[in-house]
Amino acid sequence: IAERTQLIAYGVYSIIGASFLYPVITHWIWSESGWASTFNNASLIPPVLDDAGGIAVHTCAGMCSLVACFFVGPRQHRLDSKGKFVKDLPTQNLSFIVFG
């Protein structure tokens, strides 16, 4: 997404995600009153055991990425109207692929 959007749009997207979305999702899981917390006995769902904070972090990142992909859309001039590739992407540097 970072290479396919303008820098200012990516910055605004990142600030909104870090300022508003991430705190809400972490509150659901990490707070004692959160609806998905292991400490909330009044919750209607089974508690979520978040080992090392991975669920909150990856849930937020996955949802934000899905929304960003929806708004950015597919690459232009990559597929024709039937969904067939118009042209192949150039081969990348094989040494970079092998050595990571």
Side-chain angles (χ1 to χ4, degrees):
I1 298 299
E3 295 175 352
R4 298 180 56 205
T5 60
Q6 293 180 356
L7 182 62
I8 190 72
Y10 187 70
V12 168
Y13 166 79
S14 299
I15 289 170
I16 289 172
S19 301
F20 299 107
L21 300 175
Y22 183 71
V24 170
I25 293 173
T26 54
H27 173 76
W28 291 344
I29 298 173
W30 294 342
S31 173
E32 291 182 7
S33 62
W35 62 269
S37 175
T38 53
F39 305 111
N40 186 359
N41 295 329
S43 180
L44 298 175
I45 65 168
V48 174
L49 181 60
D50 189 13
D51 189 29
I55 292 175
V57 172
H58 291 99
T59 300
C60 185
M63 289 191 304
C64 290
S65 298
L66 186 64
V67 169
C69 288
F70 175 76
F71 280 108
V72 170
R75 292 182 177 154
Q76 299 296 320
H77 311 294
R78 178 77 172 120
L79 303 173
D80 61 9
S81 61
K82 297 178 184 177
K84 302 277 185 183
F85 289 110
V86 175
K87 60 180 179 178
D88 290 332
L89 291 175
T91 304
Q92 303 299 317
N93 188 339
L94 291 179
S95 61
F96 286 161
I97 294 171
V98 170
F99 295 116

